[in-house]
Amino acid sequence: MNTSREFARILDQNDSLKDFREEFYISNEKIYLDGNSLGLLSKRSEKAVLDILNSWKTLAIDGWTEGEYPWFYLSEEIGKQFASLVGGESKELIATGSTTTNLHQLLASFYQPEGKKTKILADELNFPSDIYAIKSQIQLKGYDPNEHLVQVKSKEGHLLEITDIIDAMTDDIALIVLPGVLYRSGQILDMQAITHAAHERGILIGFDLCHSIGSIPHELSKWGVDFAFWCTYKHLNGGPGSVGGIYVNERHLGMEPGLSGWFSSAKEKQFDLEHELTPASTAGAFQIGTPHVLSIAPLIGSLTIFQEAGMESIRKKSLQLTDYLINLIEAELKDYSFEITSPREHDARGGHIYLTHPQAASICKALKADRIVPDFRSPNGIRLAPVALYNTFEEVWQTVLTLKKIMKEARYRKYENRRGVIA
Ligand SMILES: *Cc1c(COP(=O)(O)O)cnc(C)c1O
């Protein structure tokens, strides 16, 4: 392992994606390793927001159908841009809602308990919002979440085993919701194998792609996944609260959504304003009300960067960055009781690394004081996301060397080992 700064610089020089860094607003004073919580603003997103504002300014109501990006079709247009990121067709995709509201919509549509099959299978490591949504949908169907939500357990607290997931697919499971990439350990679940096992047992399955979209390639249609949903403010750099996405497999299109609204309508029928809904024959049917145009706007710009860079190249560099980070941590921090809980195998590792340490909260505060932005996850996790589109190998090098200094000088002891309001 070459631990020199020069080596990091050589890796940067040889990086085929290095020019994309210029597309983003990057503070020279900081090293930002939190792009999997909130991606950075790109110049293209900024321009797109100003363009949309201008269309409102100059076109007013006519902005719905005129201008460069007519608002009435924007959700579908952005849906098309998701196609290469998730491996789906345009008609299976729509930009709408947020992760949590999209999950509510999809559960309201696909969770149809019948006969023996009444339960939902999830896991005990998923982000709480997904679990809250699942519990409320179970309750809305008149069942007790304590009995009807089954959560696959993790043996060591950070990873899930595919055999445990498959073993939990019992006769009483109606539907499964799992993350594509776990938000803490960054483990990738084998979506293809899990989907196959679920379908063999007559169970519907959907994935939360919040931490996988824009960081790893997907083939949802090829894998036969029933549905998926995601946010766009993490790896997709859509900005705080930017509009999320839904994928619904072609074989389910044409159905009435669980939660209907006038934007669920077939577009040509929508302004007939009838009280009988004619649902769109595309994933557009899973929209509810008027799209949040100003919060879709950044995606017009940010997604073009993904089309240009290509998911294969992004994934390749992402793995190089996390390999490099892991190797440096092992070489430089072995005396300081950090544990890397992310998988080592490439096919099981997403776009970030999860380190645990008993003093994680104070270590994160010390890193921030040294102008490095990590992500603390209670109770003892440090999430580091070197993002392929805008982070450098030298930044990874600087981070590990700073961490080493903080540990060596025990500088983290100056800070309380407690999380802030947002962590
Ligand atoms: C980020 C994230 C969310 C956030 O949900 P919102 O509705 O977008 O606030 C939900 N689930 C997972 C797994 C996430 O990573």
Side-chain angles (χ1 to χ4, degrees):
M1 172 71 195
N2 187 334
T3 59
S4 71
R5 183 190 279 263
E6 287 63 39
F7 183 66
R9 287 186 172 156
I10 291 170
L11 293 174
D12 282 324
Q13 278 158 18
N14 294 333
D15 167 16
S16 65
L17 296 180
K18 61 174 180 288
D19 292 342
F20 285 101
R21 185 173 161 90
E22 299 295 314
E23 299 270 352
F24 291 86
Y25 285 101
I26 295 184
S27 160
N28 287 328
E29 258 114 74
K30 276 187 196 157
I31 295 180
Y32 192 73
L33 295 178
D34 209 359
N36 66 337
S37 257
L38 181 71
L40 293 180
L41 173 65
S42 65
K43 293 166 191 169
R44 297 190 202 189
S45 286
E46 180 183 51
K47 177 175 181 302
V49 172
L50 294 175
D51 287 348
I52 290 288
L53 270 180
N54 197 50
S55 65
W56 176 23
K57 192 195 281 178
T58 56
L59 299 170
I61 190 76
D62 290 334
W64 285 104
T65 49
E66 290 173 21
E68 197 175 349
Y69 311 107
W71 312 329
F72 192 57
Y73 303 99
L74 202 46
S75 309
E76 284 78 7
E77 284 303 312
I78 294 299
K80 285 183 197 163
Q81 304 292 315
F82 289 142
S84 62
L85 299 175
V86 302
E89 287 177 42
S90 302
K91 65 177 174 213
E92 297 172 311
L93 292 156
I94 191 77
T96 191
S98 69
T99 316
T100 314
T101 59
N102 288 343
L103 176 55
H104 271 293
Q105 167 68 296
L106 291 161
L107 289 173
S109 305
F110 290 101
Y111 174 46
Q112 303 294 346
E114 213 188 297
K116 220 168 32 167
K117 287 194 173 305
T118 55
K119 297 185 180 174
I120 296 181
L121 178 63
D123 68 281
E124 66 164 6
L125 300 180
N126 203 346
F127 194 72
S129 205
D130 298 42
I131 301 301
Y132 301 161
I134 294 170
K135 285 185 179 173
S136 41
Q137 290 292 331
I138 288 173
Q139 238 155 356
L140 282 168
K141 290 284 190 320
Y143 293 109
D144 177 359
N146 292 321
E147 279 171 26
H148 285 76
L149 168 61
V150 180
Q151 290 179 271
V152 180
K153 292 208 170 9
S154 162
K155 288 204 174 70
E156 40 64 86
H158 301 283
L159 305 171
L160 296 173
E161 282 181 29
I162 187 159
T163 47
D164 291 340
I165 295 172
I166 294 174
D167 287 347
M169 296 179 189
T170 45
D171 284 351
D172 47 1
I173 303 293
L175 180 143
I176 302 173
V177 178
L178 290 169
V181 166
L182 272 59
Y183 80 103
R184 284 171 191 261
S185 65
Q187 179 188 11
I188 301 177
L189 296 184
D190 185 339
M191 291 177 253
Q192 180 169 23
I194 295 169
T195 300
H196 183 74
H199 288 170
E200 274 185 339
R201 292 159 181 77
I203 305 172
L204 293 173
I205 183 158
F207 288 97
D208 179 328
L209 306 185
C210 278
H211 282 277
S212 62
I213 191 163
S215 85
I216 65 168
H218 304 77
E219 291 291 350
L220 296 183
S221 293
K222 197 172 121 200
W223 301 336
V225 170
D226 293 290
F227 62 85
F229 55 99
W230 54 88
C231 64
T232 56
Y233 47 78
K234 292 172 180 165
H235 287 279
L236 297 185
N237 311 315
S242 57
V243 169
I246 283 181
Y247 162 90
V248 173
N249 193 289
E250 177 176 36
R251 67 178 167 275
H252 299 300
L253 296 179
M255 69 188 271
E256 187 129 355
L259 307 175
S260 299
W262 75 311
F263 268 81
S264 318
S265 172
K267 288 201 112 56
E268 66 283 4
K269 294 279 293 173
Q270 186 170 342
F271 278 84
D272 291 347
L273 303 173
E274 290 167 356
H275 281 193
E276 204 59 50
L277 170 69
T278 307
S281 58
T282 65
F286 296 87
Q287 299 174 92
I288 302 174
T290 304
H292 301 180
V293 173
L294 293 177
S295 299
I296 296 179
L299 296 170
I300 298 171
S302 69
L303 296 185
T304 63
I305 298 178
F306 285 83
Q307 312 306 347
E308 270 172 47
M311 264 327 294
E312 295 300 328
S313 305
I314 290 171
R315 173 62 172 159
K316 189 163 158 244
K317 178 175 171 191
S318 167
L319 280 171
Q320 281 175 343
L321 282 165
T322 50
D323 274 341
Y324 182 58
L325 176 57
I326 289 174
N327 291 338
L328 273 181
I329 290 169
E330 286 181 338
E332 299 287 356
L333 300 177
K334 52 185 172 305
D335 300 334
Y336 303 108
S337 33
F338 285 100
E339 198 190 329
I340 301 172
T341 61
S342 307
R344 304 301 164 102
E345 317 83 68
H346 281 184
D347 61 1
R349 189 200 316 151
H352 66 267
I353 295 301
Y354 198 65
L355 281 181
T356 55
H357 192 285
Q359 301 297 319
S362 26
I363 293 169
C364 283
K365 288 176 192 166
L367 273 171
K368 275 205 152 169
D370 274 355
R371 300 176 184 282
I372 293 174
V373 186
D375 201 17
F376 172 67
R377 290 290 103 151
S378 184
N380 63 351
I382 303 171
R383 219 167 45 168
L384 300 172
V387 172
L389 285 174
Y390 51 74
N391 284 120
T392 64
F393 291 89
E394 193 172 353
E395 287 181 318
V396 170
W397 180 87
Q398 184 75 52
T399 299
V400 176
L401 268 282
T402 305
L403 204 45
K404 187 178 181 181
K405 238 172 129 186
I406 288 169
M407 300 314 292
K408 202 167 163 188
E409 297 165 9
R411 260 192 285 145
Y412 61 88
R413 292 216 187 113
K414 279 200 302 206
Y415 306 92
E416 212 185 346
N417 194 34
R418 273 182 55 192
R419 70 168 168 84
V421 176
I422 292 187

